[in-house]
Amino acid sequence: MSKNEKELNKKYEDAKNRAETGEGIDRIVLDKGDNYIAIVDADFKENYICFLQDTEGNDRRVQMGKDKAKNRERYPEIFDTVDPGQQHHYYYKAIVGKKSKKLGKIEFNRKVRLLEVGVKIFNQVAAIQTDDEYPNIDEIYIKINKSGKKLNTVYSVLPGKKVKFGRLFRKGKLEGDVDLDAMVKLSDSKTVAKILGNDID
């Protein structure tokens, strides 16, 4: 195998490892101020994640299961050495909207992207979904306001108006899809060992 082939294979292997840890996914990034989001499917996936620094100093995501105790058993090489903690994350399919200055309405981009949120936002979304006074969360848009910085970031979620997703789906106006199952696929021990720079038997 030539040097170029080895380098190319390594590039593919590195890219595959990043894909396994959820990097490179088209995520919705919440800006400061008001964000208009329409969740296109009320169903969601959840897991715990942590971030580890690899041998080159890059932050790498490790996807774990929904049970914290089992995660500690499953990944002893993480928690016996660095113990980065576990962050509870939730995943939705969603589209992004912007308020039209002329019409005053919310106009939505049709591209389906990943909405990944933590506990603060999820609890507010869940409160809307489980309140009988509101429609299901995938029948309305929500307004997520982001304020503050870093550890002092505050999110508030308010219900918006109805969005007719059924009509959009039937007319084929929503573009793309997101594989939520890939977001909760467990990182294997080989991937974790590589991130930590450990030898693999």
Side-chain angles (χ1 to χ4, degrees):
M1 187 182 290
S2 71
K3 183 181 176 183
N4 285 346
E5 285 177 307
K6 284 181 182 177
E7 288 175 358
L8 188 59
N9 286 349
K10 185 178 185 307
K11 186 176 180 181
Y12 271 96
E13 189 65 31
D14 287 346
K16 191 177 88 174
N17 288 335
R18 282 194 298 278
E20 286 172 0
T21 55
E23 296 174 24
I25 303 292
D26 189 8
R27 289 177 170 80
I28 294 171
V29 177
L30 297 175
D31 297 321
K32 208 166 186 180
D34 290 336
N35 297 266
Y36 298 95
I37 307 291
I39 293 171
V40 300
D41 186 346
D43 199 10
F44 64 92
K45 301 286 184 180
E46 66 176 305
N47 68 355
Y48 280 98
I49 67 167
C50 74
F51 289 95
L52 301 176
Q53 275 203 341
D54 64 18
T55 53
E56 296 174 358
N58 301 309
D59 283 337
R60 299 284 298 277
R61 170 190 293 251
V62 176
Q63 295 174 187
M64 298 179 280
K66 292 189 283 186
D67 187 312
K68 270 188 164 182
K70 285 184 181 176
N71 290 337
R72 289 183 173 274
E73 293 172 16
R74 188 180 287 123
Y75 304 103
E77 65 274 34
I78 294 177
F79 297 103
D80 290 348
T81 53
V82 290
D83 196 358
Q86 300 180 53
Q87 303 172 25
H88 206 167
H89 279 217
Y90 306 82
Y91 308 91
Y92 293 94
K93 297 178 183 185
I95 57 177
V96 177
K98 283 192 176 180
K99 198 165 197 173
S100 167
K101 290 180 181 177
K102 289 182 180 179
L103 303 175
K105 295 193 306 185
I106 311 302
E107 296 179 345
F108 285 94
N109 183 309
R110 304 304 186 194
K111 186 176 182 185
V112 177
R113 297 162 67 192
L114 174 70
L115 176 64
E116 178 178 356
V117 300
V119 173
K120 290 178 184 177
I121 292 177
F122 176 78
N123 283 341
Q124 295 178 74
V125 171
I128 296 168
Q129 170 66 28
T130 55
D131 190 324
D132 290 341
E133 292 186 16
Y134 299 110
N136 283 347
I137 202 69
D138 56 354
E139 296 175 14
I140 59 174
Y141 69 79
I142 55 175
K143 182 170 75 172
I144 303 176
N145 181 274
K146 178 182 177 183
S147 60
K149 293 180 180 177
K150 297 184 180 177
L151 294 175
N152 294 320
T153 301
V154 176
Y155 297 98
S156 63
V157 182
L158 293 172
K161 296 177 182 177
K162 280 204 169 192
V163 179
K164 297 176 181 176
F165 283 117
R167 185 164 50 85
L168 291 176
F169 278 120
R170 281 196 299 276
K171 291 189 175 182
K173 289 187 177 178
L174 289 180
E175 303 166 1
D177 200 5
V178 176
D179 183 1
L180 296 185
D181 289 326
M183 297 309 306
V184 295
K185 180 183 175 188
L186 298 180
S187 296
D188 59 33
S189 55
K190 183 178 176 182
T191 299
V192 172
K194 277 189 176 181
I195 292 171
L196 294 172
N198 295 339
D199 292 330
I200 304 165
D201 295 331

